[in-house]
Amino acid sequence: MSDRFNVIPLTFEDHGLLFIRDLKKMHIVIIGNGISGITCARHIRKRSDHKITIVSAETDHFFSRTALMYIYMGHMKYEHTKPYEDGFWQKNRIELRRAFVEKIDTASKELLLKDGGSIDYDKLVIATGSKSNMFGWPGQDLPGVQGLYSYQDLETMEESTKNCQRAVIVGGGLIGVEMAEMLLTRNIQVTFLVREDHFWANVLPKEEGELVARHLIEHHVDLRLGAELKEIVAGPDGRAAKVITNTGEEIECQFVGLTAGVSPNIRFLEGSEIETQRGVLINEFFETGVPDVYSIGDCAQFHAHPDPERRPIEQVWYTGRMMGETLAKSLTGERSSYDPGVWFNSAKFFDIEYQTYGWVRGELGENEAQFYWEHKDGRMCLKMVWDKDSRKLKGINIFGIRFRHEICSHWFQNGVSVDHALEHFRDANFDPEFFRDHANEIVTQFNKEQGTTIQAAAKRSSAIFDRS
Ligand SMILES: Cc1cc2nc3c(=O)[nH]c(=O)nc-3n(C[C@H](O)[C@H](O)[C@H](O)COP(=O)(O)OP(=O)(O)OC[C@H]3O[C@@H](n4cnc5c(N)ncnc54)[C@H](O)[C@@H]3O)c2cc1C
């Protein structure tokens, strides 16, 4: 067989026989070496002999963006955040090219690079991630003002906070909390401006937002709810020296962190044939309207998400990985649509772990009911949301207690009732000794409020659970 061809098992069947078809060896080019692009490349390689090139401007190698904070805090070195050894790429014949793509010519199937080079492709995957939101605030481009997304942002932050006593962070979400934690480890006083009346209000209901807010204050964060940035003012050295809020308050500082969310990093596509809105528009197969051009990860926006409950842009690590793996199937002959399963997410707010499964929204939906339990120390809570008619569990938020992912996913995949979930609550807990104390309290409160007679069952061993 010629070098130009490789053998790929295809999923089509004819008269009950699985046929194996030769596919032409292609050059697949991926822009972006984040979790989405890298997962896609790895799975293409597992399944085929196509030529793969990854072009990325940020770093030579893939690293874990979610670990950026630990580098600043001295828990890890950059080297430790790379999931693969540097030799992995050559061994797996994945070519890495450090370059910025300035333009895509879809007619000639060519990428034009900032360094003057160009790359031809047969198939192109756009996996260019996000960038920090900037809302045109006066002073947002001053030295000492920045977001936190890229490795370069981390380097800049390292430099800018060397002689810093006070910082102001604008925008209450996960990255803002991480930034606050980072700064506090350097004894930098943090003022946190959050526009809404409770923390992370576009995601968390009020009770959970209040729990997080209390925890931030416990950690000596000067949290200002309902406060907006109006302007950042430079000092005589031209660096950020104070912020002015919407109420006219002036806060002196040497560093300003802008963490009011992220948006798709797709500016370089302006003027191309590839249709964009907030992100690169795709269907459930990650196909753009242009033949042989696909998009995955943070930068992609579904015309209509395969799960109508979900947002058209998903900016989390595990969905980027799922998209990468699914697209790799399509690119190697097994056209596959995105099937993201149960929505979940997890994070840490200083010492409090947070997990969410299914849908717990800021406001209850029509025909939804909810139960909220909070530990008396105010650092642990549980919320469950269910359908009033069917009693089917719709969502869980847990703070300060760690649940087992496989059990929660099992509950949602199997459409269990809120009563079932509470009865088998101990199965879900990661740390049985710790949790046993709370199961009875939680179930007792639920029974009292709902008029039920549920009893929290003993924890089953995972072997028993797996067979049930
Ligand atoms: C501080 C921080 C903490 C986070 N914590 C969590 C967490 O705990 N859990 C979670 O689920 N998610 C978390 N996230 C979000 C998560 O990291 C992202 O969802 C994920 O990294 C997106 O992956 P991606 O592959 O789509 O894009 P990215 O990781 O952004 O990779 C895209 C790459 O493409 C490059 N690129 C862009 N444009 C071009 C161009 N024109 N030419 C060449 N290269 C280009 C970029 O420089 C970048 O290297 C966090 C994000 C940040 C910033």
Side-chain angles (χ1 to χ4, degrees):
M1 188 182 301
S2 127
D3 189 29
R4 290 280 297 162
F5 295 86
N6 61 355
V7 179
I8 296 169
L10 289 183
T11 54
F12 72 86
E13 286 180 41
D14 191 58
H15 308 297
L17 294 171
L18 182 68
F19 277 76
I20 292 179
R21 194 173 71 178
D22 287 351
L23 279 188
K24 216 168 137 194
K25 190 164 167 177
M26 299 181 294
H27 186 197
I28 302 177
V29 177
I30 299 169
I31 314 177
N33 68 354
I35 182 68
S36 322
I38 289 295
T39 308
C40 189
R42 282 179 41 246
H43 284 271
I44 293 169
R45 177 51 72 243
K46 277 188 193 177
R47 299 168 55 89
S48 78
D49 197 33
H50 294 309
K51 182 178 173 189
I52 305 169
T53 303
I54 302 178
V55 194
S56 205
E58 186 178 6
T59 49
D60 288 337
H61 298 104
F62 169 50
F63 72 98
S64 173
R65 194 172 299 291
T66 57
L68 276 177
M69 69 183 291
Y70 301 109
I71 303 176
Y72 185 89
M73 298 198 301
H75 301 181
M76 284 177 140
K77 290 197 158 54
Y78 167 68
E79 290 304 310
H80 305 143
T81 66
K82 291 193 277 186
Y84 302 95
E85 290 184 1
D86 293 353
F88 175 89
W89 309 103
Q90 197 180 5
K91 203 166 134 201
N92 287 284
R93 290 168 292 118
I94 296 174
E95 193 180 319
L96 304 180
R97 180 93 179 253
R98 176 94 180 260
F100 183 79
V101 178
E102 270 191 333
K103 205 168 171 262
I104 301 175
D105 186 337
T106 49
S108 61
K109 291 190 151 184
E110 189 183 25
L111 305 185
L112 303 175
L113 309 178
K114 193 172 179 188
D115 63 17
S118 65
I119 302 175
D120 293 338
Y121 66 84
D122 295 310
K123 302 266 181 193
L124 176 67
V125 180
I126 301 168
T128 52
S130 296
K131 58 176 173 45
S132 304
N133 281 337
M134 299 284 155
F135 291 107
W137 291 293
Q140 69 180 24
D141 298 321
L142 288 171
V145 182
Q146 65 167 93
L148 176 62
Y149 189 83
S150 65
Y151 184 71
Q152 286 71 27
D153 289 338
L154 188 77
E155 289 181 317
T156 314
M157 185 169 165
E158 186 64 55
E159 252 339 278
S160 292
T161 53
K162 276 207 167 110
N163 296 309
C164 176
Q165 287 84 46
R166 189 171 188 184
V168 175
I169 298 175
V170 180
L174 290 175
I175 296 177
V177 175
E178 289 194 357
M179 207 182 225
E181 190 171 351
M182 291 159 79
L183 293 164
L184 287 169
T185 60
R186 305 257 176 122
N187 294 320
I188 297 168
Q189 203 187 329
V190 175
T191 294
F192 206 151
L193 306 185
V194 175
R195 191 176 58 177
E196 293 76 20
D197 67 349
H198 72 267
F199 195 81
W200 208 19
N202 63 339
V203 174
L204 295 182
K206 200 165 168 54
E207 294 102 328
E208 289 93 316
E210 287 176 353
L211 181 144
V212 175
R214 282 196 306 269
H215 191 57
L216 294 180
I217 293 164
E218 248 172 50
H219 279 272
H220 309 291
V221 173
D222 171 25
L223 179 66
R224 312 280 183 92
L225 296 171
E228 280 184 58
L229 171 66
K230 192 168 150 232
E231 186 181 351
I232 305 162
V233 181
D237 60 357
R239 297 185 63 83
K242 68 177 170 194
V243 304
I244 303 178
T245 70
N246 56 334
T247 58
E249 187 185 0
E250 300 193 359
I251 306 169
E252 288 195 13
C253 58
Q254 298 78 43
F255 178 80
V256 181
L258 299 177
T259 60
V262 297
S263 45
N265 190 3
I266 55 165
R267 202 175 195 169
F268 72 107
L269 295 177
E270 275 171 19
S272 80
E273 294 297 309
I274 300 160
E275 196 187 352
T276 61
Q277 218 172 51
R278 282 181 55 224
V280 182
L281 285 168
I282 51 164
N283 63 14
E284 70 271 35
F285 297 97
F286 313 106
E287 296 160 344
T288 67
V290 175
D292 299 325
V293 179
Y294 306 81
S295 184
I296 51 175
D298 273 29
C299 68
Q301 176 181 350
F302 289 97
H303 277 287
H305 198 290
D307 176 350
E309 296 250 36
R310 292 170 75 142
R311 294 181 183 181
I313 303 178
E314 297 185 337
Q315 293 154 325
V316 283
W317 185 265
Y318 84 93
T319 55
R321 198 172 50 206
M322 287 174 99
M323 290 186 201
E325 185 173 348
T326 311
L327 177 59
K329 285 188 188 161
S330 296
L331 293 174
T332 52
E334 186 186 338
R335 190 161 184 259
S336 305
S337 64
Y338 183 47
D339 177 13
V342 176
W343 168 255
F344 74 91
N345 201 0
S346 64
K348 211 167 166 220
F349 299 96
F350 287 82
D351 314 321
I352 299 185
E353 286 188 37
Y354 154 69
Q355 285 170 282
T356 188
Y357 293 89
W359 302 111
V360 179
R361 302 187 200 275
E363 299 292 328
L364 276 185
E366 217 179 295
N367 220 41
E368 281 180 353
Q370 72 170 34
F371 167 71
Y372 181 73
W373 167 85
E374 191 174 292
H375 189 261
K376 59 181 180 314
D377 74 3
R379 298 164 106 234
M380 274 183 243
C381 76
L382 163 82
K383 179 167 283 171
M384 287 181 148
V385 173
W386 65 92
D387 181 85
K388 274 185 192 161
D389 294 335
S390 65
R391 296 189 69 76
K392 192 171 138 184
L393 188 62
K394 293 186 81 177
I396 302 179
N397 271 353
I398 330 151
F399 286 74
I401 299 173
R402 194 187 292 178
F403 268 10
R404 289 165 63 195
H405 179 79
E406 68 274 23
I407 304 283
C408 291
S409 297
H410 174 88
W411 284 348
F412 285 95
Q413 275 155 12
N414 290 283
V416 303
S417 67
V418 60
D419 313 280
H420 173 99
L422 277 165
E423 187 183 337
H424 296 290
F425 220 66
R426 288 191 170 108
D427 289 342
N429 188 44
F430 214 70
D431 179 355
E433 294 310 312
F434 175 67
F435 184 67
R436 202 173 295 140
D437 296 334
H438 306 299
N440 287 337
E441 184 186 327
I442 291 168
V443 169
T444 304
Q445 183 183 322
F446 183 86
N447 283 337
K448 206 169 149 192
E449 288 177 15
Q450 303 295 324
T452 46
T453 54
I454 297 162
Q455 293 208 341
K459 185 183 179 72
R460 294 177 286 179
S461 76
S462 55
I464 293 170
F465 170 78
D466 288 340
R467 271 186 258 121
S468 67

